[in-house]
């Protein structure tokens, strides 16, 4: 379970499901956490990650609504939305 990004903050990640080839992106991507594919329900690790360039700008677009908590391993580990504590900095 390792990811290209190993920092402590969230970043931008690109995911591709190895089973159905579906790909998606997330601005709430974390080191060593994956997100589940909506159709296969398997954990997918990001194949590409990069730092968020404008986290404040992204947060304005209501990330909590667009972020699929039930699919995010970090949200599951925390038991809450994984981005909220960071957006207040
Ligand atoms: Zn899939
Ligand atoms: Zn999350």
């Amino acid at each position: 379970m390792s990811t290209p990004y190993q920092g402590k903050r969230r970043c931008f990640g690109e995911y591709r499901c190895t089973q159905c080839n579906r790909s998606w992106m997330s601005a709430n991507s974390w080191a060593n956490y994956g997100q589940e594919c909506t159709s296969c329900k398997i954990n997918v690790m990001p194949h590409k990650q990069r730092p968020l360039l404008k986290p404040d700008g992204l947060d304005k677009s209501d990330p909590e609504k667009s972020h699929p908590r039930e699919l995010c391993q970090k949200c599951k580990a925390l038991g809450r939305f994984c981005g909220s504590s960071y957006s207040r900095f």
Side-chain angles (χ1 to χ4, degrees):
M1 295 285 265
S2 66
T3 48
Y5 173 74
Q6 289 294 314
K8 286 200 161 52
R9 304 194 57 159
R10 67 190 170 96
C11 65
F12 190 86
E14 292 180 33
Y15 302 78
R16 194 190 308 114
C17 176
T18 49
Q19 269 184 41
C20 68
N21 241 19
R22 196 180 75 88
S23 60
W24 68 96
M25 291 180 283
S26 172
N28 285 298
S29 184
W30 297 86
N32 305 323
Y33 284 96
Q35 291 187 5
E36 274 177 35
C37 171
T38 49
S39 29
C40 308
K41 306 291 179 206
I42 57 163
N43 188 34
V44 177
M45 300 303 275
H47 63 91
K48 226 186 207 180
Q49 284 178 310
R50 58 179 166 81
L52 289 173
L53 297 176
K54 291 179 186 171
D56 294 340
L58 284 168
D59 283 343
K60 275 175 200 156
S61 62
D62 201 357
E64 191 154 5
K65 208 178 246 179
S66 57
H67 181 60
R69 277 183 57 166
E70 69 281 4
L71 302 173
C72 173
Q73 299 300 306
K74 181 77 172 179
C75 286
K76 284 182 179 176
L78 292 173
R80 59 171 176 81
F81 175 55
C82 67
S84 59
S85 64
Y86 289 85
S87 63
R88 292 196 180 92
F89 282 136

